Amino acid sequence: MRLPDSLARFHSFLRQVARLSAPYFSASDERWRARGLLAAIVALNLGAVYMLVQINEWNRVFYDALQNKDAAVFWRQLGRFTLLAMVFIVIAVYRFYLTQLLQLRWRAWMTRELMGRWLHGQAFYRMELARYAGAAEPTTSATGLPHPGQREPDNPDQRLQEDVNLFTAQTVGLSMGFLNAVVTLASFVGILWGLSGAFSFTLGGQAITIPGFMVWMAVLYCTAGSVLTHYIGRPLIGLNFEQQKREADFRHHLVRVREYSEAIALDRGEQVEQRNLDTRFGAVLANYLRLIGKQKQLVGFTNLFGQAAVVFPFIVAAPRFFSGAIQLGELMQIASAFDRVQGALSWFVDNYDSLASWRATTERLTSFEAALVKQNQATAPDQQAPAAINSGIIEAHDLTLQLPTGATLLQGAELRVAPGQHTLVQGPSGSGKSTLFRALAGIWPFAQGQVGLPAGTMFIPQRPYFPDGALRDALAYPEPASRYDDAQLQAALRDALLPALAARLDERDNWTQKLSGGEQQRLAIARVLLRQPAWVLADEATSALDVPAEQQLYARLRALTEQAGGALVSIAHRPSVAAFHGRRWQFVPQADAAQARYRIEVAAQDA
């Protein structure tokens, strides 16, 4: 039997929540502690509802004492209320504390789990490549949300930092709120039924009696409110999703301006960046205006609904009170019970905005988790990078390289570098030289064939990465700096023509911003000189250096690899670099690019 679309979407949403939630409570190393905290929170919620039942009963006795002017009962009930209030406060405090503790521990576990999967097997790199591939815009569901899994999620930093926090907090808070509403309803509906009495009227000469009249009025009142709330607040789901996306896009561009501040300043690009930031911020504000417009409608209705609920039970029960059928204590108990039942039934109304935000957060986190599963499994044949097997030489057999767009750069290439065969890689810009290095490293997913790489081979990329922190950590990265003594670290810096940094090993800074382009390249070479590998692949590693410095550093790199029994492979265009290589791989454009754009010609350097 096919479910209606709205129920099918709701069922799909619950499955998403269960998929994200189940691992922590069923398979994590913290599952027993998590279950214990959850059980304690449930018990405290049940205890809080029990105390509310006791306070409801207290209402009847207390207000009857007021009406009867019974001072002894009045003062006794004040003492009882003090005890009930103190117990309720203790329950409320520990319910809050344990709930926050569960959210914190769940967030910590879930963040580390997703972060580990994001970093495992270069999934973070593959996801960025997949986004670069230019996937089609995703289709949207009836709620205005993209269907998960159709496109690589943007801003993984936001998913890990913000969405995990929101999801754990909202899931615990809303689920415990729903449980509290259900238990409250079950506890108070019987009380309200017993206090309501029967409502009798005549219709067409027929006497009709409705037992538990106040219960039915509460159900009718809340059903009407829930339906209206859904139709008023439904657009909030898509708007919340879009708001998070636009906020992240704006924040991402702000970070890029900070990272490339020098280049922007040199290009006098302030006005362009101002326009770009204004455009993104304008998109944030435009969507936020639509969001608060819908929230205004929802807040207006929910406040009207809530205020009307204050007097509604008195209006319905007033005829019985004025006729003398019930006393003031019963009237107040009816009002209290009605408020609890109405509050439980109105849980959907009161939490609609939070539910909309939860739905959007779950959709974003589900799409991120689905992308991680896809990248970690790497099931698609055209998404599998050929693994770089441990070989005594650098080699590639039947190697085919493609761009993320599907265009073929190379096809069936056969390459080999033996010890001492220092090789220069040259070719037109965009021909795939850097892509060849990525394939040799085993990280390029758009490649087929077999590649071999000696253990301990080091790569020097065009844009080296340096973690923020102490200079010694940036130099030794990714190894721990404690593996080397200060003398080794300082010697590597001096050999890389950075003597001024040798005395600053413990200085902490953002080294990518602090150092010039040439200094960054020399620091990357210092890493190689520190670790002393036999095989080095350098991608434009000295493009920012002057010729004398370049020649001096290449002489040291070549001497290092020869002494260790390996070879140096470089991508470079300067004749000064070519002098340190005896062979050349030349990317040559194909006359007929139907199969591949380039082929590689292998020749001696002096040819």
Side-chain angles (χ1 to χ4, degrees):
M1 181 178 178
R2 186 174 181 271
L3 293 173
D5 289 343
S6 58
L7 289 178
R9 288 195 299 269
F10 180 69
H11 182 256
S12 175
F13 167 66
L14 291 182
R15 290 180 61 186
Q16 291 174 8
V17 172
R19 178 179 176 180
L20 293 172
S21 304
Y24 180 61
F25 293 95
S26 63
S28 74
D29 53 356
E30 295 187 9
R31 59 186 180 275
W32 291 110
R33 181 175 294 177
R35 293 171 186 175
L37 279 173
L38 185 60
I41 294 168
V42 170
L44 288 171
N45 273 280
L46 297 177
V49 173
Y50 175 76
M51 295 309 298
L52 291 175
V53 172
Q54 297 302 309
I55 292 173
N56 176 265
E57 172 63 22
W58 173 86
N59 268 286
R60 180 184 62 80
V61 179
F62 180 76
Y63 284 103
D64 278 347
L66 281 177
Q67 185 178 22
N68 298 330
K69 297 182 174 56
D70 189 335
V73 175
F74 171 83
W75 291 111
R76 187 163 59 250
Q77 289 303 310
L78 278 181
R80 183 183 175 217
F81 177 78
T82 301
L83 178 62
L84 292 174
M86 291 300 296
V87 174
F88 185 82
I89 290 170
V90 171
I91 291 175
V93 168
Y94 278 94
R95 179 177 60 178
F96 167 80
Y97 173 73
L98 293 181
T99 299
Q100 295 298 309
L101 187 61
L102 177 61
Q103 292 173 11
L104 177 66
R105 299 191 69 87
W106 188 7
R107 178 195 178 185
W109 181 87
M110 193 172 187
T111 300
R112 292 191 179 104
E113 172 71 11
L114 291 176
M115 189 163 54
R117 292 166 59 189
W118 182 56
L119 294 173
H120 176 70
Q122 292 94 37
F124 61 96
Y125 174 66
R126 293 168 177 265
M127 288 170 68
E128 289 302 310
L129 288 177
R131 283 180 52 75
Y132 170 73
E137 288 293 330
T139 58
T140 56
S141 66
T143 62
L145 300 178
H147 290 298
Q150 292 191 354
R151 189 179 186 182
E152 297 301 320
D154 55 0
N155 303 298
D157 54 309
Q158 183 192 28
R159 304 290 175 262
L160 291 167
Q161 183 269 326
E162 184 175 345
D163 287 341
V164 170
N165 183 33
L166 288 174
F167 175 78
T168 54
Q170 291 168 338
T171 302
V172 173
L174 289 171
S175 59
M176 290 300 102
F178 180 72
L179 172 67
N180 190 70
V182 171
V183 175
T184 299
L185 179 63
S187 300
F188 280 93
V189 72
I191 296 173
L192 185 59
W193 185 281
L195 294 171
S196 297
F199 178 74
S200 299
F201 61 95
T202 302
L203 181 63
Q206 183 77 25
I208 299 176
T209 300
I210 301 177
F213 179 66
M214 292 295 293
V215 173
W216 297 114
M217 291 302 294
V219 170
L220 180 63
Y221 183 81
C222 295
T223 300
S226 297
V227 171
L228 290 173
T229 298
H230 176 63
Y231 281 103
I232 293 172
R234 187 178 180 183
L236 288 174
I237 300 173
L239 289 172
N240 271 300
F241 187 98
E242 185 64 22
Q243 186 66 24
Q244 292 292 333
K245 183 177 182 298
R246 295 188 183 192
E247 293 277 8
D249 183 51
F250 177 56
R251 183 170 59 246
H252 174 71
H253 200 77
L254 287 171
V255 172
R256 283 180 59 83
V257 171
R258 185 191 69 187
E259 289 179 346
Y260 294 93
S261 56
E262 182 179 352
I264 293 170
L266 290 172
D267 288 335
R268 302 293 191 269
E270 297 88 347
Q271 293 185 358
V272 175
E273 295 307 317
Q274 178 72 50
R275 287 196 297 271
N276 289 337
L277 288 170
D278 281 344
T279 299
R280 286 167 171 79
F281 188 56
V284 169
L285 295 180
N287 190 77
Y288 191 65
L289 282 173
R290 290 192 292 270
L291 180 63
I292 62 177
K294 288 298 179 183
Q295 287 176 329
K296 179 186 71 173
Q297 297 175 10
L298 184 63
V299 168
F301 175 75
T302 54
N303 275 274
L304 173 64
F305 183 84
Q307 292 301 314
V310 174
V311 298
F312 187 77
F314 291 103
I315 295 173
V316 177
R320 295 182 64 206
F321 174 71
F322 290 123
S323 68
I326 58 175
Q327 296 197 64
L328 178 61
E330 286 182 282
L331 177 63
M332 298 306 294
Q333 190 179 17
I334 288 173
S336 175
F338 181 89
D339 179 63
R340 299 300 177 188
V341 171
Q342 177 268 332
L345 291 172
S346 300
W347 180 85
F348 179 78
V349 175
D350 297 334
N351 291 279
Y352 194 90
D353 197 12
S354 298
L355 288 167
S357 176
W358 184 39
R359 173 79 177 270
T361 300
T362 303
E363 292 279 358
R364 290 193 303 271
L365 209 51
T366 298
S367 64
F368 179 65
E369 198 269 344
L372 288 179
V373 171
K374 174 184 173 184
Q375 295 300 336
N376 292 150
Q377 292 178 345
T379 54
D382 61 347
Q383 296 281 309
Q384 293 179 350
I389 60 174
N390 189 357
S391 172
I393 60 173
I394 297 174
E395 56 185 334
H397 302 289
D398 194 23
L399 180 63
T400 296
L401 299 182
Q402 293 178 317
L403 293 174
T405 57
T408 300
L409 291 174
L410 288 174
Q411 188 166 21
E414 297 286 335
L415 303 170
R416 186 177 185 274
V417 179
Q421 291 184 335
H422 308 293
T423 303
L424 181 69
V425 183
Q426 290 186 317
S429 296
S431 57
K433 301 183 295 296
S434 297
T435 303
L436 172 63
F437 272 26
R438 298 180 189 117
L440 292 174
I443 67 170
W444 188 251
F446 309 99
Q448 295 86 42
Q450 294 181 335
V451 296
L453 205 64
T457 300
M458 285 191 68
F459 288 80
I460 309 177
Q462 291 183 15
R463 296 178 57 194
Y465 168 74
F466 306 104
D468 296 346
L471 177 61
R472 64 173 68 245
D473 294 325
L475 173 58
Y477 181 86
E479 295 181 333
S482 58
R483 182 170 295 181
Y484 305 96
D485 59 35
D486 286 4
Q488 291 174 299
L489 297 171
Q490 291 168 350
L493 290 171
R494 286 192 292 268
D495 290 343
L497 309 182
L498 291 171
L501 295 181
R504 301 167 62 184
L505 290 175
D506 293 316
E507 185 175 328
R508 305 180 68 85
D509 212 325
N510 180 345
W511 297 105
T512 303
Q513 294 289 321
K514 187 78 170 181
L515 302 178
S516 68
E519 288 173 326
Q520 290 182 44
Q521 289 189 339
R522 280 178 279 168
L523 184 57
I525 292 173
R527 284 179 181 166
V528 177
L529 299 176
L530 177 66
R531 292 173 60 179
Q532 299 187 349
W535 301 83
V536 177
L537 283 81
D539 186 356
E540 298 284 1
T542 57
S543 58
L545 302 181
D546 58 85
V547 172
E550 182 178 64
Q551 290 178 329
Q552 194 171 351
L553 290 175
Y554 255 99
R556 289 173 180 170
L557 288 174
R558 174 164 173 160
L560 172 66
T561 56
E562 287 180 346
Q563 183 178 1
L568 175 64
V569 181
S570 303
I571 297 173
H573 298 283
R574 291 180 181 177
S576 55
V577 175
F580 294 92
H581 303 79
R583 301 172 71 245
R584 184 177 71 251
W585 290 348
Q586 183 71 43
F587 278 70
V588 179
Q590 294 269 50
D592 180 8
Q595 297 295 322
R597 295 181 181 180
Y598 297 90
R599 71 178 189 276
I600 295 180
E601 290 184 352
V602 180
Q605 184 63 18
D606 57 355

